[in-house]
Amino acid sequence: MLLQPLLLPFAYLPMGVPASRPAALARLACAPFMQVAEVIEPPLMESSCGFDFVPLLTALQTGEWREADQLTRDALIKLAGSAAVARGYVYFTEAPNLPEEDMATIERLWRAYSGNKFGYSVQRDVFNSKKVGRNFEKLFERIGWKNPDGTLLRWLPEAKSDEFIYDVEKAVPGHLPLTSTLRGTQLLQRLMDHKAWERDEFTSS
């Protein structure tokens, strides 16, 4: 049965979707009316430093996965402190000290809106699995960061040239969020080993 699209008045926009975002409004306006009942309730958003997670929430709610990925990197830099902000990236020794509350919020958001398909704890589970055995080459293959010829996918500023997959239906579990390995794998490992993932809500069943 074909479903007629329903134009949503602003009063029915999901939390965090500003009326000033044409792309978000267009996507919602074209959604079948039955999807309104399937809007995901935003998870708990806690922060030890008053960090504003609404932009990340909005990007994930509207399926803007590439934007959400960039917002996540930006968040980690700010949460790591002034030194990280000054250099423009997080150093691997700073990763363990990223606030647990904020990391948990980032993870809840990613997992909630990807159906538990994306997130650092998802990558952690793959990394620690028997098939991967904490081997990075095997990890990159399992989470779709490798080409068929064995080379790593390239992240590029232009969306049309970016080789990663920003589609929850097409990407494999753990594909997002991205972490640069140009300076080595230590940062990625520290993020996957963060203490926040020891919480019951992030442990595998």
Side-chain angles (χ1 to χ4, degrees):
M1 179 179 67
L2 294 176
L3 299 176
Q4 295 297 319
L6 175 68
L7 294 178
L8 299 178
F10 292 164
Y12 290 93
L13 289 178
M15 182 183 299
V17 180
S20 60
R21 291 189 54 169
L25 288 173
R27 184 176 290 103
L28 288 169
C30 294
F33 72 89
M34 287 186 67
Q35 291 183 358
V36 175
E38 299 173 2
V39 172
I40 299 172
E41 187 72 19
L44 171 66
M45 292 191 292
E46 55 182 341
S47 174
S48 64
C49 55
F51 190 86
D52 181 12
F53 286 107
V54 171
L56 177 59
L57 167 67
T58 302
L60 290 169
Q61 282 180 322
T62 56
E64 298 288 347
W65 301 105
R66 193 170 194 268
E67 180 181 352
D69 184 63
Q70 184 60 56
L71 287 169
T72 299
R73 279 193 294 277
D74 293 343
L76 295 185
I77 292 171
K78 291 180 180 179
L79 292 171
S82 58
V85 172
R87 82 172 77 91
Y89 62 88
V90 178
Y91 197 53
F92 74 92
T93 56
E94 296 167 329
N97 296 321
L98 290 168
E100 183 177 340
E101 295 87 349
D102 298 78
M103 293 298 285
T105 294
I106 290 172
E107 193 69 4
R108 286 190 203 104
L109 290 169
W110 273 99
R111 292 185 61 150
Y113 293 101
S114 69
N116 290 314
K117 195 170 186 178
F118 297 150
Y120 294 113
S121 66
V122 178
Q123 295 170 349
R124 181 274 315 268
D125 289 344
V126 177
F127 189 51
N128 290 336
S129 67
K130 291 183 179 180
K131 290 185 177 180
V132 173
R134 296 181 69 85
N135 179 290
F136 279 100
E137 292 304 314
K138 293 181 180 179
L139 172 69
F140 296 153
E141 183 176 351
R142 296 285 291 186
I143 63 176
W145 288 10
K146 272 190 175 184
N147 289 303
D149 63 3
T151 59
L152 291 176
L153 300 183
R154 296 180 303 161
W155 181 92
L156 296 169
E158 291 291 330
K160 63 181 180 180
S161 302
D162 194 341
E163 296 180 350
F164 289 89
I165 301 171
Y166 301 95
D167 186 323
V168 72
E169 299 297 331
K170 297 179 180 179
V172 298
H175 191 71
L176 297 175
L178 303 177
T179 300
S180 174
T181 57
L182 291 176
R183 302 180 185 89
T185 58
Q186 290 174 306
L187 174 59
L188 177 58
Q189 181 172 336
R190 297 293 180 91
L191 288 173
M192 291 189 294
D193 288 341
H194 196 277
K195 59 187 176 182
W197 321 144
E198 297 173 6
R199 294 186 175 195
D200 290 342
E201 62 184 302
F202 302 126
T203 57
S204 300
S205 56

